[in-house]
Amino acid sequence: TINLATGEITLGEWTPATGDSFDNKKSPVVPGYILKDPSQVEAGAHTGVKATDGDYVDSVVYVPVGNYVPEFPPGVTPTNPWTDVPYVTDPSKPTDIVPPTDPKQPAIPHIPGLTPVDPGTKEPLKPVDPQDPTKGYIPPVPTTPTDETKIPYIKNVVEDKAQIIYRLVDEAGKVVNAELAKSDVINGEEG
């Protein structure tokens, strides 16, 4: 009540529209973060609230999601290396990240001459498009949504075939006999 002559304000009895309680509120989804405590999906319920009570502060703690991080073989520096691919927060759940097969999750980049492998199984990752590996690879499932997942790359094994041909040349380098002898075909890895 305001006294119009003096400007004095007198507080009357406070009656909240919801009675003497507040219901839980849903914690929002924050892109790039998940709830530290999954039990805080809903928070903020209070009962027995009185007009004389102080402020109620409810803290809901979020932590950053992890990343996929490349590990290249020793001595290999790709021309266009990538640094990290963050996990994507599930747009409907503040506690989860999207599964690796979800189209919202970016693919693990393709690096020519290298193949990314699952850090746990050591099996090659599956291409997003089996007909075109340059579109990237489906990432593995992270063990913990807040930790980084290292993606090891291995050199592609290229089978080579070679054959040694012996030629007879004179002192000037002129070929006298183009094919004096041949070795058997040699198989092996490139390099």
Side-chain angles (χ1 to χ4, degrees), residues 89-172:
T89 308
D90 188 319
S92 62
K93 297 178 188 166
T95 54
D96 295 344
I97 56 174
V98 296
T101 52
D102 190 298
K104 291 179 213 72
Q105 177 60 51
I108 298 299
H110 171 75
I111 304 288
L114 300 174
T115 300
V117 297
D118 185 299
T121 66
K122 304 300 182 209
E123 292 293 318
L125 296 179
K126 290 183 171 54
V128 172
D129 179 354
Q131 304 303 317
D132 185 5
T134 62
K135 291 181 179 174
Y137 300 86
I138 298 169
V141 176
T143 50
T144 307
T146 55
D147 292 343
E148 69 179 25
T149 300
K150 293 186 177 178
I151 304 294
Y153 278 81
I154 57 171
K155 289 182 184 179
N156 294 344
V157 176
V158 178
E159 289 290 325
D160 259 354
K161 293 183 179 188
Q163 187 173 36
I164 300 170
I165 299 175
Y166 298 92
R167 296 187 173 141
L168 181 60
V169 294
D170 64 17
E171 291 175 359

Side-chain angles (χ1 to χ4, degrees), residues 38-59:
S39 70
Q40 290 188 318
V41 169
E42 290 189 353
H46 297 280
T47 56
V49 178
K50 296 183 176 42
T52 54
D53 290 354
D55 290 342
Y56 287 89
V57 178
D58 297 296
S59 297

